[in-house]
Structure formats: C-alpha cells, structure tokens
Amino acid sequence: MPLHFTALEWVLERLNLLPLPLLDTPLAPGIGRVLATACELDLFEVLEERSLTLDELASRLACHPQSLRPLLQLLIVAGYLRVRRG
C-alpha cells in the first residue's frame, strides 16, 4: 500500500526501522477480497492489453461504471493500479 512519509519517516523506512507489515495487517482481508474480485472479473488481464477509461473498462467487463469505480479506487489506493490522464 503506498504511504506518504514525512522526512523522518522516510529515513527510518530506508533504514528498515519502521514496522511496515504491521501497517498493512488490518487492511489485508479487505484488500484480499478486492484482489479476488478483480481477478474474477479478469480486470488485470483486460488492463494489461491497454489503458481504458472507466466506461470502456466497465463495458469490457460487463459491469456498471458506478459499481466498478469503488473497486478501482481501492486498487489505486492499495497500489495495484495507477490513473493516467484521468
């Protein structure tokens, strides 16, 4: 999961003095479910071919865009996807 560190936290992280796995532990079950859902939809395979807009992706996955948006947002926050040019 991408984190935004202060300068001190960045130094401590580089020295391997921060317990980063502990930060992910409470989120692991939810992220696991999100990843399982993304895999069931073949989301990563579809996006591997090329970047798509939300509407294009929803069409390819046979999903409603408003239902797909929260899944994508969680994958972005967890560091599995990136947004390019909106």
Side-chain angles (χ1 to χ4, degrees):
M1 176 172 197
L3 299 173
H4 301 285
F5 294 125
T6 65
L8 175 60
E9 290 167 337
W10 184 84
V11 170
L12 292 173
E13 190 269 332
R14 293 309 245 177
L15 295 173
N16 203 26
L17 297 174
L18 286 180
L20 293 180
L22 291 177
L23 298 175
D24 286 339
T25 302
L27 304 174
I31 292 172
R33 287 187 194 116
V34 167
L35 287 172
T37 301
C39 291
E40 288 172 9
L41 292 171
D42 292 327
L43 184 137
F44 295 112
E45 289 80 2
V46 170
L47 288 177
E48 190 174 49
E49 296 170 13
R50 66 181 182 95
S51 297
L52 298 169
T53 66
L54 175 62
D55 291 330
E56 292 170 335
L57 183 60
S59 176
R60 289 280 307 270
L61 299 177
C63 296
H64 193 280
Q66 290 179 355
S67 300
L68 187 58
R69 184 184 308 271
L71 178 73
L72 295 174
Q73 289 172 334
L74 287 169
L75 290 169
I76 291 165
V77 169
Y80 289 93
L81 294 179
R82 282 181 283 169
V83 177
R84 289 192 210 159
R85 295 174 255 138

